[in-house]
Amino acid sequence: MPLSFSAIQSKLCKLFLLLAQVSFFCLFAYSCQQLASWLHSPLPGSVIGLAILLLLLCGKVIPEKAVNSGAAWLIGDLLLFFIPPVVAVLKYEDILEQYGVTLISSMLAASCLVLLGTAFTVDRLFNFERKLKLQKQRKHAQLLRAPVKIAPTHTASGVSL
């Protein structure tokens, strides 16, 4: 079934938007890495970039819609970015034989700590968001229950109703 011109145009627009957003992330990461090296920062450029991007998103300088599809694509294909490091690790077989157990156990412990920390943080954020939503709903319900004051109206003869 052939696609209509508007359907093709819509898909091309989405593809262009995705490429623009991913390009933005790449340029932003490169710029932050250059900034970190220029400042001789002990923090890596990726951490500085995440902090700057978080501040820009929280301050609504960059709207969430502007980076949403690019971020979703990058997160969805995140596993592909780990293939080159795994292949590089296999080149150092002698190091793995000597320190393999220590390395693997430390990576497992670190991964577990990261997962626990992430789960704890997400749980706290969801609880906070739920409390805010409940407070908003209660305020809205109180506003609906509040008595409505109606100003007295006067008729043409001067009698108030």
Side-chain angles (χ1 to χ4, degrees):
M1 180 175 190
L3 293 174
S4 67
F5 179 72
S6 62
I8 292 172
Q9 189 177 16
S10 173
K11 287 187 182 240
L12 283 176
C13 284
K14 286 180 182 177
L15 179 65
F16 178 74
L17 183 67
L18 178 69
L19 287 174
Q21 290 179 3
V22 170
S23 299
F24 166 75
F25 281 124
C26 292
L27 286 173
F28 191 74
Y30 179 75
S31 300
C32 289
Q33 188 63 38
Q34 294 301 315
L35 178 70
S37 64
W38 182 67
L39 293 173
H40 303 289
S41 171
L43 294 174
S46 57
V47 173
I48 293 172
L50 283 175
I52 292 172
L53 187 61
L54 179 66
L55 289 175
L56 292 175
L57 285 170
C58 287
K60 299 194 189 279
V61 175
I62 297 176
E64 185 184 336
K65 278 184 171 180
V67 292
N68 196 13
S69 63
W73 182 80
L74 285 171
I75 289 173
D77 293 331
L78 188 63
L79 195 59
L80 293 175
F81 299 115
F82 288 105
I83 291 174
V86 169
V87 172
V89 165
L90 293 178
K91 282 179 63 178
Y92 301 103
E93 193 174 328
D94 52 337
I95 293 175
L96 281 178
E97 287 175 1
Q98 189 174 2
Y99 301 109
V101 174
T102 306
L103 286 173
I104 289 174
S105 61
S106 63
M107 285 190 309
L108 286 174
S111 297
C112 287
L113 288 175
V114 167
L115 287 174
L116 288 172
T118 303
F120 179 76
T121 305
V122 168
D123 184 56
R124 293 289 177 169
L125 285 174
F126 278 141
N127 284 338
F128 178 71
E129 189 175 310
R130 190 173 351 143
K131 283 180 184 176
L132 287 179
K133 189 175 181 180
L134 284 174
Q135 285 178 351
K136 190 175 179 181
Q137 287 176 347
R138 285 183 189 144
K139 281 184 182 178
H140 184 70
Q142 286 177 351
L143 286 176
L144 290 177
R145 277 189 252 142
V148 179
K149 293 182 180 178
I150 299 174
T153 57
H154 299 281
T155 60
S157 63
V159 177
S160 63
L161 299 173

